[in-house]
Amino acid sequence: MLTFTLRRLASGIGLLIVISALAYTLLFFSSSSIARNILGDQATPEQIALKEAELGLDQPLLVRYLGWVGAALQGDLGRSWFNGEPVTETIQSRLPVTLVLMIVSIVLVAVFAAVLGVLAAVRRGWVDQTVQVGAVIGDAIPGFVLAIFLVTIFAVNLGWFPAVATIRPGAGAEAWIVSLTLPVIAIVVNYVTSSAQQIRSAVIKELEKDYVRTLRSRGLSEREIVLKNVLRSAAPAGLTVLSLQFIGLLGGVIILEQVFAIPGIGALAVNATVLSDIPLVMGVVIITVVIVMIVNLLVDIAQGALNPKVRLS
């Protein structure tokens, strides 16, 4: 298991190096006018040249990238080119909001999807039909449309929740719960039915296998077979779906944070990209890739623990 974990960790680090180099190269070619954007149209060529030297824009791409990597390995992601604040501190102030939103949402999706998927596979009938219809509707409605609908009904018309998030680092639990309720509902409704359908398919596939017939012939109850044997075998498929949805949320949360004005890392990424604030953009890219690496590693370890064949592959 240790070899399996180290192999997965090494592949994740390799992916991080490739993505950081690719992102830095692409941003390098978009930074030609950044000094003028910072100083304004009234800046003289001499002032622009001094600013470019200050930011290191007059150095070759490889020198700049290696310098950035060396600082990043020491925990220094640089400073914002526009406000001078350390990138690490800026991300640290925004990341908890986004992580809380994503983790709470994906845990609720996992719980509801597992319950609905198992019920649909075991009982079939109207429960199964409802899950399948819900999956089609959930895939057809974009998350931001559902978010706007929720804001219109529950924030603007009924006034039960704020239309704009009021959370900030250090705010109380009540402010976090009130502000994140509608975004979490939008994510859960959008993702739960499609996840339930995937879990349903995996459970049905397991229920049709020979070992289940053997267990039934030995007199075990259907509940005991499902909870002790079938769910364990179907869990890898469910984990894969949930991990893909969590990674997909990293992109979807950018839109949700814009709709609900949530001060998370998604809104930060949008603002930094618009300004071509390269240190901040690179910081967001690296943190995002690290989150994806951690999620994939945890899922691989969980799947390896549940199914030894995964470790051998």
Side-chain angles (χ1 to χ4, degrees), residues 94-143:
R94 300 292 196 98
L95 190 58
V97 178
T98 300
L99 286 181
V100 169
L101 172 62
M102 294 178 62
I103 292 173
V104 170
S105 299
I106 211 67
V107 168
L108 292 176
V109 168
V111 172
F112 287 124
V115 172
L116 290 174
V118 171
L119 286 176
V122 174
R123 296 193 175 182
R124 311 301 289 268
W126 69 269
V127 179
D128 189 18
Q129 294 172 356
T130 302
V131 169
Q132 294 194 51
V133 171
V136 174
I137 295 175
D139 289 338
I141 300 177

Side-chain angles (χ1 to χ4, degrees), residues 240-264:
T240 301
V241 172
L242 290 173
S243 67
L244 292 175
Q245 289 192 336
F246 188 88
I247 293 169
L249 266 179
L250 286 171
V253 79
I254 292 176
I255 299 174
L256 280 179
E257 288 184 357
Q258 294 294 321
V259 173
F260 292 100
I262 298 173

Side-chain angles (χ1 to χ4, degrees), residues 119-194:
L119 286 176
V122 174
R123 296 193 175 182
R124 311 301 289 268
W126 69 269
V127 179
D128 189 18
Q129 294 172 356
T130 302
V131 169
Q132 294 194 51
V133 171
V136 174
I137 295 175
D139 289 338
I141 300 177
F144 72 91
V145 173
L146 184 60
I148 293 172
F149 174 78
L150 292 173
V151 169
T152 304
I153 299 297
F154 296 102
V156 177
N157 293 341
L158 298 177
W160 292 354
F161 298 96
V164 177
T166 57
I167 50 174
R168 294 290 184 277
E174 184 179 355
W176 283 69
I177 293 172
V178 171
S179 297
L180 295 183
T181 296
L182 290 183
V184 167
I185 292 175
I187 294 172
V188 171
V189 172
N190 201 229
Y191 281 84
V192 71
T193 48
S194 58

Side-chain angles (χ1 to χ4, degrees), residues 1 18 34 41 52 86 101 150 162 212 225 280 301:
M1 191 67 186
V18 170
I34 190 65
D41 294 334
E52 288 180 345
L101 172 62
L150 292 173
V212 174
I225 293 172
L280 204 46
I301 292 174

Side-chain angles (χ1 to χ4, degrees), residues 279-295:
L280 204 46
V281 174
M282 283 300 299
V284 172
V285 169
I286 294 306
I287 293 300
T288 303
V289 175
V290 169
I291 292 174
V292 172
M293 280 176 51
I294 293 173
V295 171

